[in-house]
Amino acid sequence: RSRLYKDDVEIEISNKEWAILEPMMMHPHQIFSKSHLEQKLYDWQSDVSSNTIEVYIHHLRQKLGKDFIRTVRGIGYCIDQPSD
């Protein structure tokens, strides 16, 4: 399990959630397709079901806020850096 901090509160996330979240955090504003994110999970799970990414994105939004990960309809997902 990995840990993140949001507003000085520790948030525990699974290794699979981290595998999806890490590339998006490393490259904010870059849109990652569902298939690209599925490839990140192949190390953890050889049989990725059709809604696996949506399930993990849902879990991450519950933990990090519903607006943390943005869906770009028909393309994929990204993290937008907060505007000051």
Side-chain angles (χ1 to χ4, degrees):
R1 293 201 174 262
S2 298
R3 293 183 181 140
L4 295 175
Y5 290 87
K6 181 181 179 198
D7 300 325
D8 295 326
V9 175
E10 185 177 350
I11 299 169
E12 202 169 297
I13 63 170
S14 72
N15 289 333
K16 292 176 186 178
E17 291 168 337
W18 180 250
I20 292 171
L21 186 60
E22 181 181 33
M24 289 194 287
M25 290 178 64
M26 297 293 289
H27 303 282
H29 301 296
Q30 180 177 333
I31 300 169
F32 290 88
S33 69
K34 180 179 167 183
S35 62
H36 179 87
L37 295 173
E38 284 172 344
Q39 290 174 9
K40 299 294 182 186
L41 292 182
Y42 284 129
D43 291 342
W44 303 104
Q45 175 179 327
S46 60
D47 184 27
V48 178
S49 67
S50 64
N51 71 336
T52 300
I53 297 302
E54 289 89 346
V55 169
Y56 285 117
I57 294 290
H58 175 75
H59 291 165
L60 287 165
R61 285 178 173 151
Q62 285 181 320
K63 295 175 181 183
L64 301 171
K66 65 180 181 76
D67 295 327
F68 190 80
I69 297 173
R70 182 168 59 97
T71 299
V72 181
R73 196 155 314 277
I75 301 174
Y77 302 94
C78 71
I79 293 176
D80 290 328
Q81 292 178 328
S83 56
D84 294 327

